[in-house]
Amino acid sequence: MNTKAFALRHIGPREDDQNLMLKTIGVDSLDQLINETVPDDIRLKNGLKLDEPMTEHEYLLHAHELSKLNKVYTTYIGLGYHPTVLPAVIQRNVFENPGWYTAYTPYQAEIAQGRLEALLNFQTMVIDLTGMEIANASLLDESTAAAEAMGLLFSVRERSQKKAGINKFFVSENILPQTRSLLETRANPIGIELVVGNEDTFNFSNEFFGALLQYPGKHGQITDIKSFISKANAADIKVAVAADILSLVKLEAPGKFGADVVVGTTQRFGIPMGYGGPHAAFFATKEAYKRELPGRIIGVTIDANGNRALRMALQTREQHIKRDKATSNICTAQVLLAVMASMYAVYHGPKGLSFIANKVHNKAAALADALSKLGFEQANTSYFDTLQIKTKAKKIKKIANAKKINLYYPDKDTVTISINETTSITDINNLISVFAEAAKKETITVTHVNEVNDIIPETLKRNSEFLTHSVFNSHHSETELMRYIKSLERKDLALNHSMIPLGSCTMKLNAAAEMLPLSWFKWGNIHPFAPLKQAKGYLKMLKELEDQLTEITGFAATSLQPNSGAQGEFAGLMVIKAYHESRGDHHRNICLIPSSAHGTNPASAVMAGMKVVVTKSTAEGNIDVNDLREKAELHKDNLSCLMVTYPSTHGVYESDIKEITQIVHDNGGQVYMDGANMNAQVGLTNPGNIGADVCHLNLHKTFAIPHGGGGPGVGPICVAKQLVPFLPGNPIVKTGGEQAISAISAAPFGSALVCLISYGYIKMLGAEGLTQATKVAILNSNYIKARLEGSFETLYSGERGRAAHEMIVDCRAFKANGIEVTDITKRLMDYGFHAPTVSFPVAGTLMIEPTESESKAEIDRFCDAMISIRKEIEQASKDELTNVLKNAPHTLDMVTSDEWNFPYSREQAAFPLEYVKDNKFWPSVRRVDDAYGDRNLICSCAPIEAYAEV
């Protein structure tokens, strides 16, 4: 046994276990199983061409050497990214804690109450600081959030008779450049005309439905948003404000002035820059727009006992229900980063945040005063943290670079300096010395920073209170915060407790060796717009990861910019759109989508300005080739693309896939492959081999980035040769193709920091390990299928009766016993397991994916639980509502209560199998009442007693 081989540690079943599993399945070898599962005509004839695998020790040394290529300068670039101080108690107990980073999106609320509380804190923090009525639980980045704000205002404009059909959207010229680029990407496909201009001279014409302001502006100037919003309201123009969250401690909340939407990033609340991310954006708006609000909302409800409980509210807005009618295709938030930002607010509280914001502002004022004495013009009449100095930028840049200082140079006569939380008096003096040297004057030394009269207009100063809830005023010592974090962690079931068998979501091991470098100083502290020579370690790692993914997918090039799977879908479709337009085919706008597709597919297609045509599935769950051919030929003059998932969403390798892709090509379209199921392809086949032209990859699924409780996610796109010129660009750092589409995400390489994880995953597994991982994922799935045979029917399987890396079990027949699929999912909690994917892609079913990381022993425990539940279903009566499934999950309070009025024992309720006693996980609430929560929408930390059901 090679104890140094990473594959040995990543892949769960030992060799002896694999042999036993193969025997249960009824095959002689793993290769026989793969040959019976994966069609021969799509199999790779040659293996992957990747470097020899590294051991964990070798990889960590390699990552350390790579990090040395990054040069960490003292950075004052700003533009939405700032150096921060991540409190060590949050770094150790959240960021580096698998109890937080390996959890899944909280669809099963009863075993996610801790994470839900942290996100409710996040929403409360955002609502308080923005002055709005409702906020979501995070978005991907500030620029994405701004684009979503534009989309929301475009959607609600029809409520105004004056604005129906109006499509002009005003964007302040003070907006961040990356946001402007992303707005351009999003606006055109849905028919919005962007008008960029000066907000001071805007005429508030009836031709506009909405406007977007930056607060403070990109160069630091604080404009009079109060006056602008007042005039806009009078003209029935809705206003969105992109706000710096730390500045809102000193600036009055935009909501107090009548803003309709407020967005931004919480990166300043302790989150490392990480060369662009991941960072949690925020989105707050009026309650009247709650149905159009993008992303996820955490709401307060009650459980079966009437006790307070939390869950995701208004889920009917989301893609898995509304598909192309969804209000947003953002399927991945930034939950882990939102949790960290909320803990930063809990740790510091309102007084601590005020202290930090005042220090930043006062140091900026002290620097401005010193530069003024040296004779430099500071152009901002009002500012929070950013100075705009009029001087010869070239001369300043040369001196600053020599002192390892990064400033921003918007033009040849301007230098901007953004002060941040980490800026010390020594740093201020170093900055002064740069300008003194340029002016050839003796420098001025600042010995201390005084409280200043705010360089903020009286009309814009904050007067409203914020963070008044007790949670923000109770945990200011490290001991208290550590215990608070632990108390929440104990309420959440994550991968560090048991298998999470979610189909399509691939909850595999997130190895410690992959995660460790994320905390290292030289990876965390690089600004995304720093000069490229300072980011050589990042650029080398990112280029190699691109090459690795290009090889694995069989394509020609890769873009890492999209920072979620849904963003990858949108990016891929926009690249296809640009390709067609480059050939003069502007009219090609029909997107074929199978009925079994992910809900994000049609939502993304609509966002890209395409018309969705749904194709049928056969009784076996495959694409109906005849129906597809008929619709492709019908729409051949306007066909843009097909969106297809492979293996199919039904967990089957469709043998007709090459015929399907050829039909699309023959009728002038391109093929987009959804990479959600790439874990069943790596090393065995690839998208290029089956005839696709572009795919996105979920690095948070196949390539081991943790789900983080619902994010971070990364969704790069890999493309065939003809699409390479159109890969997305960035307005500040050159990326993408020669005919690059505008930005998909704010940062040039999206969430660059967590790309280290996938880079390490591939480096340590190598070609053989990656291929073996795919094979074992298929083994584990088919082993579950074999073990559950006789208890549960598998809905779909391949031509030889095999499943892919996931399988669907049919639970619809149990309705005869009064048991719904939801009852099974809640009962699994009593056995210590998170539920598989529920009612997708077929209502009343469970989609199970064990991944390659789970051992035979753990899979057996899960199968034992499912078989035990099947016996409980047999004992259930349709007319009896007090059975063990209907009352699941069972909490510690229930089981230890003096009263027990159920026809089954406490032991059966809490310890249904012997293994549960060894490692019991207690759900902290009983089954939540979703309907109550939607009728009585509470999305902040108000006590439920303050609300009454009407």
Side-chain angles (χ1 to χ4, degrees):
M1 183 173 74
N2 180 2
T3 60
K4 291 186 176 181
F6 177 72
L8 182 76
R9 307 306 188 186
H10 175 80
I11 296 172
R14 306 296 87 186
E15 187 175 350
D16 289 346
D17 289 331
Q18 290 182 31
N19 291 332
L20 291 172
M21 296 164 78
L22 291 166
K23 185 176 180 180
T24 300
I25 295 168
V27 292
D28 296 329
S29 68
L30 185 54
D31 284 339
Q32 180 188 343
L33 174 63
I34 299 305
N35 290 336
E36 292 181 4
T37 304
V38 186
D40 183 66
D41 69 327
I42 67 166
R43 290 287 298 275
L44 297 178
K45 304 310 176 189
N46 300 307
L48 298 173
K49 295 180 178 64
L50 297 169
D51 292 342
E52 286 298 308
M54 291 181 172
T55 67
E56 293 184 35
H57 179 67
E58 288 169 342
Y59 171 68
L60 290 171
L61 289 175
H62 169 71
H64 182 66
E65 289 301 309
L66 263 185
S67 74
K68 291 180 181 178
L69 299 177
N70 294 327
K71 305 301 179 187
V72 180
Y73 282 24
T74 310
T75 294
Y76 307 97
I77 295 172
L79 295 179
Y81 300 94
H82 302 266
T84 62
V85 177
L86 171 58
V89 62
I90 298 174
Q91 176 174 321
R92 176 58 59 90
N93 293 289
V94 179
F95 189 49
E96 298 173 347
N97 183 348
W100 286 95
Y101 67 69
T102 70
Y104 182 61
T105 301
Y107 283 115
Q108 297 295 330
E110 295 84 357
I111 51 176
Q113 289 295 299
R115 198 166 355 115
L116 288 165
E117 181 172 327
L119 292 175
L120 191 72
N121 293 344
F122 177 87
Q123 291 177 179
T124 303
M125 171 188 86
V126 170
I127 289 168
D128 282 4
L129 287 168
T130 62
M132 301 306 293
E133 296 169 348
I134 189 171
N136 70 14
S138 78
L139 288 178
L140 297 171
D141 56 37
E142 178 173 335
S143 299
T144 300
E148 292 291 337
M150 175 181 70
L152 180 146
L153 297 181
F154 188 56
S155 175
V156 304
R157 81 196 192 286
E158 297 296 338
R159 297 183 184 181
S160 167
Q161 292 182 348
K162 297 178 184 177
K163 298 299 177 182
I166 298 297
N167 73 332
K168 284 188 177 180
F169 187 72
F170 174 77
V171 179
S172 167
E173 62 190 10
N174 289 315
I175 206 75
L176 297 175
Q178 65 269 27
T179 297
R180 178 174 171 177
S181 182
L182 207 149
L183 290 170
E184 291 168 357
T185 309
R186 290 287 195 91
N188 181 262
I190 58 175
I192 295 175
E193 180 184 344
L194 293 183
V195 178
V196 180
N198 188 316
E199 59 226 66
D200 293 332
T201 59
F202 181 58
N203 63 8
F204 300 95
S205 159
N206 271 335
E207 297 178 329
F208 292 85
F209 71 87
L212 175 66
L213 307 178
Q214 192 82 41
Y215 184 58
K218 63 182 178 181
H219 298 324
Q221 176 67 37
I222 298 173
T223 55
D224 185 4
I225 69 164
K226 181 179 181 181
S227 174
F228 184 96
I229 292 171
S230 177
K231 293 174 183 176
N233 286 342
D236 200 19
I237 296 172
K238 306 297 183 186
V239 179
V241 176
D244 179 305
I245 194 165
L246 187 61
S247 76
L248 294 182
V249 173
K250 294 188 69 66
L251 294 171
E252 187 55 273
K256 300 297 181 182
F257 300 144
D260 295 281
V261 184
V262 184
V263 301
T265 175
T266 57
Q267 185 266 323
R268 294 196 86 160
F269 279 16
I271 312 302
M273 289 184 291
Y275 205 46
H279 306 130
F282 63 85
F283 190 111
T285 188
K286 296 178 176 179
E287 192 162 332
Y289 305 147
K290 64 188 178 186
R291 294 285 174 183
E292 288 84 11
L293 178 61
R296 289 175 172 138
I297 308 169
I298 307 310
V300 182
T301 187
I302 56 175
D303 73 359
N305 279 358
N307 295 322
R308 180 181 184 273
L310 306 174
R311 34 59 101 183
M312 293 199 299
L314 301 179
Q315 290 187 48
T316 50
R317 300 168 303 116
E318 292 200 20
Q319 307 91 315
H320 59 285
I321 294 174
K322 292 191 74 174
R323 297 176 67 81
D324 56 311
K325 301 293 193 300
T327 59
S328 167
N329 86 331
I330 302 285
C331 66
T332 307
Q334 299 283 22
V335 169
L336 182 67
L337 295 309
V339 168
M340 291 169 64
S342 75
M343 290 301 178
Y344 181 93
V346 168
Y347 194 41
H348 290 301
K351 292 180 180 177
L353 291 182
S354 295
F355 174 82
I356 293 166
N358 285 331
K359 283 290 186 184
V360 168
H361 184 63
N362 294 342
K363 285 172 182 172
L367 176 60
D369 182 60
L371 295 184
S372 176
K373 289 175 181 176
L374 287 172
F376 290 93
E377 177 193 355
Q378 200 288 111
N380 289 336
T381 57
S382 174
Y383 57 84
F384 167 61
D385 63 358
T386 300
L387 309 179
Q388 187 178 181
I389 311 299
K390 294 300 179 181
T391 185
K392 297 298 180 184
K394 188 174 182 181
K395 183 184 289 188
I396 297 294
K397 186 175 184 179
K398 182 178 180 181
I399 299 168
N401 284 347
K403 294 178 181 286
K404 296 187 176 181
I405 292 172
N406 285 331
L407 307 175
Y408 184 58
Y409 309 95
D411 58 57
K412 63 184 178 61
D413 297 314
T414 309
V415 179
T416 66
I417 311 168
S418 292
I419 303 303
N420 58 76
E421 179 188 7
T422 71
T423 306
S424 65
I425 291 178
T426 299
D427 293 327
I428 296 293
N429 286 318
N430 289 339
L431 283 166
I432 296 169
S433 72
V434 170
F435 287 84
E437 185 175 336
K440 297 182 179 179
K441 294 181 179 180
E442 187 175 341
T443 192
I444 296 170
T445 301
V446 174
T447 57
H448 61 281
V449 175
N450 297 320
E451 294 287 330
V452 299
N453 292 321
D454 293 345
I455 318 298
I456 296 171
E458 285 294 327
T459 56
L460 298 178
K461 286 183 180 178
R462 185 166 196 116
N463 293 309
S464 53
E465 291 185 315
F466 61 96
L467 305 188
T468 57
H469 192 273
S470 61
V471 74
F472 300 107
N473 295 278
S474 304
H475 309 291
H476 302 324
S477 74
E478 178 168 340
T479 303
E480 285 298 317
L481 186 65
M482 176 181 67
R483 289 174 181 161
Y484 177 62
I485 292 171
K486 185 64 178 179
S487 73
L488 299 189
E489 181 195 341
R490 289 174 61 197
K491 297 178 181 179
D492 279 18
L493 191 150
L495 270 177
N496 62 343
H497 181 273
S498 59
M499 176 172 77
I500 300 181
L502 284 152
S504 190
C505 290
T506 315
M507 298 292 293
K508 65 172 66 183
L509 171 72
N510 313 120
E514 297 158 3
M515 303 297 294
L516 285 173
L518 271 63
S519 297
W520 295 354
F521 181 80
K522 288 197 171 184
W523 289 116
N525 291 282
I526 305 292
H527 193 288
F529 303 141
L532 295 180
K533 65 182 180 181
Q534 296 173 25
K536 288 182 179 179
Y538 261 114
L539 296 175
K540 184 175 175 62
M541 179 272 291
L542 294 169
K543 177 62 169 67
E544 189 168 345
L545 177 58
E546 288 177 357
D547 292 344
Q548 290 167 341
L549 297 177
T550 299
E551 168 67 16
I552 288 167
T553 56
F555 281 133
T558 295
S559 169
L560 296 169
Q561 192 177 125
N563 50 11
S564 84
Q567 294 291 75
E569 291 178 19
F570 178 65
L573 293 175
M574 291 301 290
V575 164
I576 288 173
K577 182 182 175 74
Y579 164 74
H580 284 311
E581 290 176 352
S582 75
R583 296 157 54 89
D585 291 340
H586 296 264
H587 54 282
R588 289 195 174 274
N589 67 344
I590 298 295
C591 179
L592 302 179
I593 301 181
S595 58
S596 64
H598 292 97
T600 53
N601 290 175
S604 295
V606 169
M607 283 180 62
M610 296 180 182
K611 294 182 180 178
V612 173
V613 173
V614 177
T615 67
K616 297 177 183 177
S617 295
T618 65
E620 294 76 30
N622 298 326
I623 293 174
D624 186 324
V625 178
N626 291 328
D627 184 63
L628 177 92
R629 181 182 290 106
E630 179 182 318
K631 286 173 178 171
E633 291 174 353
L634 176 65
H635 297 288
K636 65 181 179 180
D637 293 336
N638 297 306
L639 182 61
S640 174
C641 59
L642 164 74
M643 297 186 80
V644 61
T645 301
Y646 199 77
S648 75
T649 310
H650 293 144
V652 175
Y653 293 88
E654 298 185 42
S655 58
D656 296 327
I657 188 63
K658 284 194 170 184
E659 181 183 357
I660 289 166
T661 58
Q662 190 61 51
I663 289 170
V664 175
H665 289 148
D666 289 345
N667 288 281
Q670 297 282 284
V671 176
Y672 173 94
M673 194 205 83
D674 184 316
N677 292 340
M678 194 66 196
N679 207 47
Q681 287 197 43
V682 179
L684 299 180
T685 184
N686 63 42
N689 201 42
I690 67 172
D693 300 288
V694 55
C695 76
H696 88 269
L697 300 172
N698 298 98
L699 298 193
H700 51 289
K701 295 182 182 180
T702 302
F703 295 95
I705 291 177
H707 286 248
V714 179
I717 56 170
C718 307
V719 298
K721 184 178 179 180
Q722 74 274 14
L723 300 181
V724 173
F726 310 102
L727 289 174
N730 180 273
I732 298 176
V733 176
K734 178 170 172 37
T735 57
E738 294 303 313
Q739 297 170 261
I741 63 172
S742 48
I744 293 294
S745 300
F749 299 98
S751 296
L753 179 62
V754 291
C755 285
L756 263 171
I757 301 167
S758 298
Y759 174 75
Y761 172 80
I762 297 169
K763 274 286 190 187
M764 289 186 285
L765 276 178
E768 186 178 341
L770 287 167
T771 306
Q772 184 68 6
T774 307
K775 290 180 177 180
V776 174
I778 294 168
L779 168 67
N780 284 354
S781 177
N782 281 277
Y783 178 66
I784 290 178
K785 181 175 181 291
R787 278 226 52 202
L788 295 185
E789 193 170 338
S791 296
F792 293 90
E793 180 185 348
T794 301
L795 199 55
Y796 303 110
S797 57
E799 293 175 358
R800 301 183 68 174
R802 304 301 180 201
H805 65 312
E806 62 190 9
M807 54 176 289
I808 299 173
V809 297
D810 195 351
C811 303
R812 291 172 293 186
F814 305 144
K815 286 188 176 183
N817 296 65
I819 301 302
E820 302 287 343
V821 68
T822 300
D823 300 320
I824 299 172
T825 68
K826 303 308 179 187
R827 181 58 174 153
L828 271 169
M829 297 176 191
D830 291 329
Y831 288 81
F833 285 104
H834 192 290
T837 302
V838 182
S839 291
F840 176 82
V842 181
T845 66
L846 293 174
M847 183 158 60
I848 303 169
E849 179 180 357
T851 86
E852 72 275 9
S853 300
E854 298 300 341
S855 67
K856 178 179 180 295
E858 181 70 359
I859 292 172
D860 281 335
R861 278 189 286 271
F862 172 75
C863 291
D864 290 345
M866 290 292 290
I867 293 166
S868 177
I869 288 172
R870 180 68 181 88
K871 293 174 181 176
E872 292 173 345
I873 292 171
E874 291 174 5
Q875 297 167 4
S877 166
K878 188 171 185 179
D879 301 320
E880 181 58 72
L881 299 181
T882 58
N883 64 65
V884 71
L885 286 102
K886 287 294 182 185
N887 284 300
H890 297 81
T891 63
L892 182 62
D893 283 347
M894 284 179 70
V895 175
T896 58
S897 172
D898 289 340
E899 293 187 15
W900 185 259
N901 300 316
F902 303 104
Y904 49 90
S905 69
R906 298 173 195 261
E907 183 177 26
Q908 184 185 352
F911 302 103
L913 291 175
E914 192 64 28
Y915 79 82
V916 180
K917 296 177 181 178
D918 295 332
N919 190 24
K920 176 65 179 175
F921 180 89
W922 291 101
S924 55
V925 297
R926 291 193 65 191
R927 195 175 302 195
V928 300
D929 188 331
D930 289 321
Y932 180 96
D934 282 350
R935 288 194 304 270
N936 304 272
L937 189 61
I938 307 167
C939 300
S940 62
C941 294
I944 199 167
E945 292 78 16
Y947 297 80
E949 183 173 0
V950 178

